[in-house]
C-alpha cells in the first residue's frame, strides 16, 4: 500500500467507492466521472503504478485482473466493450495505481483521442 495513493485508500475502505465486484486480487468500482453508460475501473489490491509493473511483480494478479474485466463487461455492459489502460502522463494517466477502464453501453468511436 502506498500511503498517498487514492486507489490504495479505496482498497483500504478509507475512501468510499461504488464497488460492483471483488476477487482475491482485484476490486471493481464505478468511475466517479463516467465516460460511457458503463464505466468501471478494475484495479489490483496491491499498489503497482501501471499494468506492465503489475505483470512483472504479480502475474497471477494480472491474469485475475483481466478475467475480472471480462466478468464486469459481461455483467454490466452490452457484450461489446473497451478495456483501456492509460499508461503515463501523456496517455492521460492521472492515478498512478494500475487500473483498467471497462467502457461499454454506447457506440464507441475509433481512433480514441
Ligand atoms: P486515468 O486518467 O488515470 O486513466 O483514470 C483515473 C480515473 O479515476 C478517471 O477516470 C477518474 O474519473 C477516476 N477517479 C478519480 N478520482 C476518483 C475517485 O475518487 N473515485 C472514483 N470512483 N473514481 C475516481
Ligand atoms: Zn495505490
Amino acid at each position: 500500500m502506498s500511503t498517498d495513493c487514492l486507489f490504495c485508500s479505496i482498497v483500504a475502505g478509507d475512501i468510499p467507492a461504488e464497488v460492483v465486484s471483488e476477487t482475491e486480487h482485484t476490486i471493481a468500482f464505478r468511475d466517479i466521472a463516467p465516460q460511457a453508460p458503463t464505466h468501471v475501473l478494475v484495479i489490483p489490491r496491491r499498489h503497482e503504478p501501471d499494468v506492465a509493473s503489475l505483470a512483472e511483480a504479480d502475474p497471477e494478479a494480472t491474469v485475475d485482473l483481466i478475467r475480472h474485466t471480462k466478468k464486469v463487461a459481461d455483467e454490466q455492459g452490452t457484450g461489446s466493450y473497451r478495456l483501456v489502460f492509460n499508461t503515463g502522463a501523456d496517455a492521460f494517466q492521472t492515478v498512478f495505481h494500475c487500473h483498467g477502464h471497462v467502457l461499454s453501453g454506447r457506440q464507441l468511436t475509433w481512433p480514441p483521442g
Side-chain angles (χ1 to χ4, degrees):
M1 164 147 184
S2 173
T3 48
D4 58 352
C5 172
L6 173 66
F7 287 176
C8 282
S9 298
I10 287 177
V11 170
D14 295 336
I15 291 177
E18 195 179 336
V19 174
V20 297
S21 60
E22 299 185 59
T23 69
E24 179 187 356
H25 296 287
T26 64
I27 176 167
F29 55 92
R30 294 196 191 284
D31 196 291
I32 203 167
Q35 301 302 311
T38 297
H39 187 173
V40 173
L41 303 175
V42 185
I43 74 169
R45 294 180 189 275
R46 78 180 275 164
H47 180 88
E48 292 293 339
D50 56 51
V51 70
S53 304
L54 183 69
E56 289 294 330
D58 195 337
E60 186 180 325
T62 309
V63 171
D64 187 6
L65 187 145
I66 299 296
R67 287 196 174 125
H68 196 177
T69 62
K70 161 78 169 133
K71 176 175 179 283
V72 167
D74 284 348
E75 291 179 356
Q76 308 277 331
T78 58
S80 294
Y81 68 98
R82 188 168 293 161
L83 173 58
V84 176
F85 292 92
N86 294 331
T87 305
D90 286 350
F92 222 91
Q93 185 175 4
T94 60
V95 178
F96 288 83
H97 178 131
C98 172
H99 53 282
H101 297 254
V102 178
L103 296 151
S104 184
R106 67 168 167 81
Q107 179 68 55
L108 300 172
T109 58
W110 190 263

